[in-house]
Amino acid sequence: MKVRDHQTIDLSRLYGLWQQGDPNNTPSDHLAEGNNFQFVGDDIESRDGLGISQTVAAPVENIFRAYNYPTQNANTLLLLEWDGTTGRIYHVVNASTVFLILSIVGMTDFAFVPYGGRAYISPFITYDNGDLKFQKGMQNETLYVYAGDGTNARAAAGATPAGVLTIANGAAGNTDPGRHVFGVVGETDSGFLSQPIALNSFITLANNSVSFNNVPIFAGPQWVKRHIVASAVIPTFNGNLEGYQLFFIPDATINDNVTIFLNNISFFDDELEEDASHLFDNYATIPAGAALSIYHDRLCLSTTYDDISLVLISAQGEPEAISQADGLIIVPPDGNPITNHGELRDIFYVDKRSRTVSYIDNGEEPSSWPMSSVDNSLGTSVHGIATVLDSGQTSSDFLIKATYAGIFLFNGKYIFPSLTWKIEGLWAEQDRNLYNKIQIINVPPKKCIYCVLPDYRILVGNYENGLDPKNIRWSTFSFWTIVNAIAVVNIDEIIIGCENPNPDLF
Amino acid sequence: MAFPNSGQIKIFPAGVSIISGQWALASDAQPQPNRPVSDLQTYYDARVPNVAVAPCLRRDTEKPPASGVYVPSGGVYELQFSASTIGLEFYDGAYPGAVAHTTDFIKADFPMGMTITSPSVWVNTQTLFGPFRDRNIVSIQFKYFGSTIATYAPGTGLLNGNQSSGSFSIIPVPGLTWSFIQVLKTFGFAVTCNVVVAGTLGDVRSINIECFILANYNTALLSVSTLRPEVAPGDMSLLESNNQSFDVFDPDLFQIYWDVQPGDTEDPEFPGMTGGVFIPRANIKTFNAQFLEFRMPTGLGIPYGGRRLMLVGTSINAFFVGKFPIQNYNITLVDGSGLYNLTPGKRNDTYYDRSSGPPTPTVDLRMPDPRIKTGYFNG
C-alpha cells in the first residue's frame, strides 16, 4: 500500500447540499450534510447572525406571517401576530414605529397585495377536509383595505344607506327635457364606488337645471364623495328604476359625506359617457379569500369560504369593484382549492396544489376569459410563489414556485428538473399538509432564494453561479426559535418573523 | 524512508489529502483550543503538495458583545472518507542495541474526531542489520495504554522470514474504543511497540521500527475551531437567575438533576430533592458562571411550562464539602418570537427574551452549530 501516493482533491469549491438518493453517492464537491452556512464567493462561512429588527419596548411577538408592504413613500412590513385566540395585523413602518391595524379572532394567516400605496388584506385559516388540510377565506369575513397611514384597516367596498333622492328643477340652465332616473353613488377614500342608491325619476325641463336634496349620507369616515348619476331621457318609463342604464353626470359631485343637497346641475344626455350601471352588480361586501394578486391592474381574490374554485376579479383600476355577475372565473372544480395566482407576461396563472391553469384578459369581462390548462400535476401553495425584492409582488420575467415536486422556475411552463433537484430528499421530507408554511422570496442583489420550510428552517439557494438546477448551491439556516415568515426590506435586508417555540415541535 | 524529525505524527492519506479546510491557510491559522499554531505546521508537510483549501466557517475571532450572555459560535467542518485509507505514521528514531524496545506515542494534539474502523499495522525492520535480523524477534506487541491490542509473531504473520516489512490487522481489544475523540478527551493517544527478542540480535547496529496505523474511515470529523457535541433537538439554555453564581463549584464535579421534587426524606445527602433525572456529563455542553447549557436525555420531552432543575455541586474553594442542592429552577423555554433580520457579518444570534419586560430584553446566543459535511471521497 503506497500510503504516500495520494492525490489532491480540490476542496476550494463546494457546491452546497446534496441530499438526493443514497448519501454515499454525494459528489465530493457537494455536502452530504450542513446547516447554518452560506456562500461567500467560492468560500463557505457561517451564516449571518440574527439581529433584532424592532427597537420598540414591546416588539411584535409570535409572528405567523410577514409581507413586504410598499407604501407611497416607504418600504414597510405587515405582520400577523397570533396569541392563540386572536390574530393581529401590525404595520411596521420602521424599527421604532408600528401600528396595530386589524384584529380578528381566529385569524392565523392572511393574504395580501399592495395596490396604489394601500394594502388589501384577506384573512384566511386552515380547514380540515379529512386528512387534507387546505386554506380558504374565513367564514363571515371580508376583504380589508388599509390606507397605509396607521389608521385601522376597514372592510373593502362598503354597504350603502337607504333613502330616496329628492329632485326638483333648479335655476335656469339646460337639460334634455324628459324623464330621467337619478341616483347617488358613494365613493370611498380608496376609490370604491358604491352601487347607485336612492333612485328616483324626474322629468326635467329644457331651460332648467336640476337640484337634488336628501342625498344619503354613507356610514363611515371612508366615504369621501358622492356622485349623482342619471339615465338619458326615457321615452316610455316602465316604473323599474333599476332597469335603465345610468351614467355619471359630469361635475355632479359632492366632495364630502355631509352635505345632503346639490343644486343647479345642468347636463345634456350626450354628456353622459361614464357608465355607472355596472355598479349595481358589485359586491358591497367582498368575501375573504386565501389568495390575492394583481392582474392587468385588477385585484384578484380567490378561495372564499363558500367557493374554493372561484376567483373574484375587479374592474380595471378599481380594486374593490368586483361584479358578482361577470367579475368571476371558475377554475374547474376538482375538490382542491385554488391556492395562488399571479401574472406573468400578460397571462393570469391560477394554481391549485397540484394543478396550474391560465387565463388571458381578452378585453371583455373576466367571466369570458378563455382558460387553458398549463400543468395537471404541478401547482403551488398559498405562499408558494416567490415575491421579488421588496416589491411585495410576484411580477418578474419568471416565477419561482414551490410545488410538491420541488421549487421550479416557471416561465409559462415548469422547467425541469426543479431547482431543488440536488436536494430532492430534503424537499420530500417536508410535511405536505404544512405547505402553507412555505414562503419564498427572491433577492437578486444577493442572488439568493430564501424559502421558509414546513420544518421551520430556511432553505437558501445561492444562484451566483447560475439559476439552474446544477449551479444553484443550497444550504439551510436554523435558529433557536421557529421561523414562520420571511420578507425583504430596503432591497436586500432579510426579515424573519418567528413564532414562540412550540414544545411539541422538539 | 527518511523523516526529518523523529517522534512526530504525520498524516498521509492514501488517495486524498486530508489537509483541508479545517486548519485553513497558514495566514488564517489561529490558535485553537486544542492545537497551538506551531502544531499546524506539522500538517503542512512539503510532501502534501498543492493542497487546495476551502476557507471554511472561518469565524476565527469571536468577540463577545459588551454585555449579555454569549457563547462563541464556532463551527464544524466535517470531512467524510470512505474506502480511502488514511495512514497515521508513527516513527521511532534509530534505536541502537539489541534488547526489547518500547516506544510510546502519546500525542495530545492528535487530530480530533476520527473513528478508526479497521486499523492495521505496518512494520518495517529493514534497517535491522545482520543475518538474524528478523529471526531473533519473538514478537512485536502493539499496546494501547498497557493493553496489548495486537501481536506480531514471525512466521505466523505477514511479516515472515526475512521480509523486511508487512502489515496485519489490529483486532481491537474489547472495551477499547478506537475513537480518537474519546482518546483525546481522556488520555491523549498512545501506542506501544514492544519488540521482544530472543537472546541478542547479532551485529545489530540499529532498529528502526516504523508503524503505520492504517485506518479505513467511515467518518472522519475534523474540528474547525472547537469540537462541539452534536446539537440535538431539545437543547436548552438556562440563564443565571436570582443572583445565583455557579463559579464556586468545581465544574468537573457538579451534577444536574432535572424534574426533581421537593421534600425528599430518603436521601439526606440531597435534601429537598426526590425523583429527578440525572443529566449525564456528556449532555452538558457549557457551564460557566453565566451560562449553563445542556442536552436533555432522550425520551423525556421538553419541560415546557416549568419544571425543577437541581444542581448538585462541590465547592472548589472550601466553602463546603460534599454535595448538596444549590438551586431549583423553573425551566421554561424562553419565548424568542418576534421580528428579526439577518445581519451581515454578525457572528452570533440575538433573540428577544420575553420572559421579562417590557421593555423586552435581548439575549445573545451562539447560532445553532454551523457545520458542513462533505460527501465521501473515493467512495
Side-chain angles (χ1 to χ4, degrees), chain B residues 135-150:
Chain B
R135 293 171 187 171
N136 284 32
I137 298 177
V138 175
S139 64
I140 300 177
Q141 298 170 334
F142 294 91
K143 296 186 175 183
Y144 175 76
F145 290 107
S147 299
T148 301
I149 52 176

PDB file of all heavy atoms in Angstrom, chain B residues 135-150:
ATOM      1  N   ARG B 135      14.980 -13.103  12.662  1.00  0.00           N
ATOM      2  CA  ARG B 135      14.717 -14.394  13.284  1.00  0.00           C
ATOM      3  C   ARG B 135      14.802 -14.332  14.798  1.00  0.00           C
ATOM      4  O   ARG B 135      14.263 -15.169  15.483  1.00  0.00           O
ATOM      5  CB  ARG B 135      15.699 -15.418  12.741  1.00  0.00           C
ATOM      6  CG  ARG B 135      15.462 -15.688  11.261  1.00  0.00           C
ATOM      7  CD  ARG B 135      16.537 -16.520  10.646  1.00  0.00           C
ATOM      8  NE  ARG B 135      16.345 -16.608   9.201  1.00  0.00           N
ATOM      9  CZ  ARG B 135      17.236 -17.136   8.376  1.00  0.00           C
ATOM     10  NH1 ARG B 135      18.375 -17.622   8.838  1.00  0.00           N
ATOM     11  NH2 ARG B 135      16.987 -17.183   7.101  1.00  0.00           N
ATOM     12  N   ASN B 136      15.502 -13.388  15.288  1.00  0.00           N
ATOM     13  CA  ASN B 136      15.596 -13.282  16.732  1.00  0.00           C
ATOM     14  C   ASN B 136      14.391 -12.571  17.354  1.00  0.00           C
ATOM     15  O   ASN B 136      14.255 -12.531  18.558  1.00  0.00           O
ATOM     16  CB  ASN B 136      16.870 -12.537  17.135  1.00  0.00           C
ATOM     17  CG  ASN B 136      18.077 -13.427  16.978  1.00  0.00           C
ATOM     18  OD1 ASN B 136      18.096 -14.270  16.101  1.00  0.00           O
ATOM     19  ND2 ASN B 136      19.067 -13.247  17.829  1.00  0.00           N
ATOM     20  N   ILE B 137      13.588 -11.999  16.522  1.00  0.00           N
ATOM     21  CA  ILE B 137      12.421 -11.281  17.064  1.00  0.00           C
ATOM     22  C   ILE B 137      11.346 -12.296  17.421  1.00  0.00           C
ATOM     23  O   ILE B 137      10.872 -13.047  16.574  1.00  0.00           O
ATOM     24  CB  ILE B 137      11.878 -10.275  16.045  1.00  0.00           C
ATOM     25  CG1 ILE B 137      12.948  -9.220  15.748  1.00  0.00           C
ATOM     26  CG2 ILE B 137      10.598  -9.629  16.564  1.00  0.00           C
ATOM     27  CD1 ILE B 137      12.538  -8.229  14.706  1.00  0.00           C
ATOM     28  N   VAL B 138      11.042 -12.370  18.660  1.00  0.00           N
ATOM     29  CA  VAL B 138       9.986 -13.279  19.100  1.00  0.00           C
ATOM     30  C   VAL B 138       8.617 -12.694  18.754  1.00  0.00           C
ATOM     31  O   VAL B 138       7.756 -13.365  18.225  1.00  0.00           O
ATOM     32  CB  VAL B 138      10.087 -13.515  20.624  1.00  0.00           C
ATOM     33  CG1 VAL B 138       8.920 -14.365  21.104  1.00  0.00           C
ATOM     34  CG2 VAL B 138      11.399 -14.183  20.942  1.00  0.00           C
ATOM     35  N   SER B 139       8.477 -11.487  19.061  1.00  0.00           N
ATOM     36  CA  SER B 139       7.178 -10.867  18.754  1.00  0.00           C
ATOM     37  C   SER B 139       7.325  -9.355  18.783  1.00  0.00           C
ATOM     38  O   SER B 139       8.273  -8.806  19.354  1.00  0.00           O
ATOM     39  CB  SER B 139       6.101 -11.288  19.759  1.00  0.00           C
ATOM     40  OG  SER B 139       6.438 -10.808  21.039  1.00  0.00           O
ATOM     41  N   ILE B 140       6.370  -8.741  18.166  1.00  0.00           N
ATOM     42  CA  ILE B 140       6.222  -7.287  18.293  1.00  0.00           C
ATOM     43  C   ILE B 140       4.815  -7.042  18.800  1.00  0.00           C
ATOM     44  O   ILE B 140       3.835  -7.408  18.149  1.00  0.00           O
ATOM     45  CB  ILE B 140       6.440  -6.564  16.957  1.00  0.00           C
ATOM     46  CG1 ILE B 140       7.843  -6.849  16.433  1.00  0.00           C
ATOM     47  CG2 ILE B 140       6.210  -5.064  17.119  1.00  0.00           C
ATOM     48  CD1 ILE B 140       8.124  -6.248  15.089  1.00  0.00           C
ATOM     49  N   GLN B 141       4.777  -6.487  19.973  1.00  0.00           N
ATOM     50  CA  GLN B 141       3.467  -6.264  20.581  1.00  0.00           C
ATOM     51  C   GLN B 141       3.079  -4.797  20.416  1.00  0.00           C
ATOM     52  O   GLN B 141       3.897  -3.907  20.626  1.00  0.00           O
ATOM     53  CB  GLN B 141       3.516  -6.606  22.072  1.00  0.00           C
ATOM     54  CG  GLN B 141       3.839  -8.048  22.339  1.00  0.00           C
ATOM     55  CD  GLN B 141       4.104  -8.281  23.810  1.00  0.00           C
ATOM     56  OE1 GLN B 141       4.510  -7.369  24.531  1.00  0.00           O
ATOM     57  NE2 GLN B 141       3.885  -9.517  24.255  1.00  0.00           N
ATOM     58  N   PHE B 142       1.872  -4.642  20.084  1.00  0.00           N
ATOM     59  CA  PHE B 142       1.332  -3.286  20.000  1.00  0.00           C
ATOM     60  C   PHE B 142       0.354  -3.106  21.145  1.00  0.00           C
ATOM     61  O   PHE B 142      -0.603  -3.859  21.292  1.00  0.00           O
ATOM     62  CB  PHE B 142       0.651  -3.055  18.662  1.00  0.00           C
ATOM     63  CG  PHE B 142       1.632  -3.080  17.536  1.00  0.00           C
ATOM     64  CD1 PHE B 142       1.905  -4.267  16.882  1.00  0.00           C
ATOM     65  CD2 PHE B 142       2.299  -1.939  17.169  1.00  0.00           C
ATOM     66  CE1 PHE B 142       2.829  -4.307  15.852  1.00  0.00           C
ATOM     67  CE2 PHE B 142       3.227  -1.968  16.135  1.00  0.00           C
ATOM     68  CZ  PHE B 142       3.495  -3.153  15.477  1.00  0.00           C
ATOM     69  N   LYS B 143       0.659  -2.167  21.947  1.00  0.00           N
ATOM     70  CA  LYS B 143      -0.148  -1.956  23.143  1.00  0.00           C
ATOM     71  C   LYS B 143      -0.794  -0.575  23.107  1.00  0.00           C
ATOM     72  O   LYS B 143      -0.257   0.370  22.551  1.00  0.00           O
ATOM     73  CB  LYS B 143       0.715  -2.092  24.397  1.00  0.00           C
ATOM     74  CG  LYS B 143       1.280  -3.495  24.576  1.00  0.00           C
ATOM     75  CD  LYS B 143       1.998  -3.639  25.896  1.00  0.00           C
ATOM     76  CE  LYS B 143       2.446  -5.082  26.088  1.00  0.00           C
ATOM     77  NZ  LYS B 143       3.084  -5.255  27.407  1.00  0.00           N
ATOM     78  N   TYR B 144      -1.890  -0.582  23.758  1.00  0.00           N
ATOM     79  CA  TYR B 144      -2.646   0.669  23.844  1.00  0.00           C
ATOM     80  C   TYR B 144      -2.867   0.958  25.308  1.00  0.00           C
ATOM     81  O   TYR B 144      -3.631   0.277  25.970  1.00  0.00           O
ATOM     82  CB  TYR B 144      -3.981   0.500  23.113  1.00  0.00           C
ATOM     83  CG  TYR B 144      -4.921   1.656  23.221  1.00  0.00           C
ATOM     84  CD1 TYR B 144      -4.704   2.802  22.471  1.00  0.00           C
ATOM     85  CD2 TYR B 144      -6.040   1.601  24.027  1.00  0.00           C
ATOM     86  CE1 TYR B 144      -5.585   3.859  22.534  1.00  0.00           C
ATOM     87  CE2 TYR B 144      -6.922   2.649  24.102  1.00  0.00           C
ATOM     88  CZ  TYR B 144      -6.696   3.784  23.363  1.00  0.00           C
ATOM     89  OH  TYR B 144      -7.561   4.834  23.421  1.00  0.00           O
ATOM     90  N   PHE B 145      -2.096   1.876  25.798  1.00  0.00           N
ATOM     91  CA  PHE B 145      -2.124   2.188  27.220  1.00  0.00           C
ATOM     92  C   PHE B 145      -1.998   0.926  28.064  1.00  0.00           C
ATOM     93  O   PHE B 145      -2.796   0.641  28.936  1.00  0.00           O
ATOM     94  CB  PHE B 145      -3.396   2.947  27.594  1.00  0.00           C
ATOM     95  CG  PHE B 145      -3.398   4.335  27.057  1.00  0.00           C
ATOM     96  CD1 PHE B 145      -4.205   4.680  25.993  1.00  0.00           C
ATOM     97  CD2 PHE B 145      -2.554   5.301  27.590  1.00  0.00           C
ATOM     98  CE1 PHE B 145      -4.190   5.949  25.487  1.00  0.00           C
ATOM     99  CE2 PHE B 145      -2.551   6.581  27.077  1.00  0.00           C
ATOM    100  CZ  PHE B 145      -3.356   6.898  26.020  1.00  0.00           C
ATOM    101  N   GLY B 146      -1.009   0.134  27.764  1.00  0.00           N
ATOM    102  CA  GLY B 146      -0.729  -1.030  28.568  1.00  0.00           C
ATOM    103  C   GLY B 146      -1.448  -2.284  28.144  1.00  0.00           C
ATOM    104  O   GLY B 146      -1.061  -3.383  28.523  1.00  0.00           O
ATOM    105  N   SER B 147      -2.501  -2.142  27.385  1.00  0.00           N
ATOM    106  CA  SER B 147      -3.237  -3.331  26.954  1.00  0.00           C
ATOM    107  C   SER B 147      -2.780  -3.730  25.570  1.00  0.00           C
ATOM    108  O   SER B 147      -2.731  -2.895  24.653  1.00  0.00           O
ATOM    109  CB  SER B 147      -4.735  -3.053  26.941  1.00  0.00           C
ATOM    110  OG  SER B 147      -5.183  -2.720  28.230  1.00  0.00           O
ATOM    111  N   THR B 148      -2.441  -4.980  25.442  1.00  0.00           N
ATOM    112  CA  THR B 148      -1.988  -5.457  24.150  1.00  0.00           C
ATOM    113  C   THR B 148      -3.158  -5.462  23.169  1.00  0.00           C
ATOM    114  O   THR B 148      -4.212  -6.032  23.441  1.00  0.00           O
ATOM    115  CB  THR B 148      -1.418  -6.864  24.280  1.00  0.00           C
ATOM    116  OG1 THR B 148      -0.332  -6.823  25.197  1.00  0.00           O
ATOM    117  CG2 THR B 148      -0.942  -7.374  22.928  1.00  0.00           C
ATOM    118  N   ILE B 149      -2.959  -4.816  22.106  1.00  0.00           N
ATOM    119  CA  ILE B 149      -4.026  -4.768  21.122  1.00  0.00           C
ATOM    120  C   ILE B 149      -3.720  -5.658  19.925  1.00  0.00           C
ATOM    121  O   ILE B 149      -4.616  -6.020  19.180  1.00  0.00           O
ATOM    122  CB  ILE B 149      -4.263  -3.331  20.645  1.00  0.00           C
ATOM    123  CG1 ILE B 149      -2.955  -2.685  20.178  1.00  0.00           C
ATOM    124  CG2 ILE B 149      -4.882  -2.499  21.741  1.00  0.00           C
ATOM    125  CD1 ILE B 149      -3.141  -1.308  19.615  1.00  0.00           C
ATOM    126  N   ALA B 150      -2.475  -6.004  19.753  1.00  0.00           N
ATOM    127  CA  ALA B 150      -2.138  -6.908  18.665  1.00  0.00           C
ATOM    128  C   ALA B 150      -0.707  -7.382  18.868  1.00  0.00           C
ATOM    129  O   ALA B 150       0.108  -6.710  19.508  1.00  0.00           O
ATOM    130  CB  ALA B 150      -2.270  -6.217  17.314  1.00  0.00           C
TER     131      ALA B 150
END
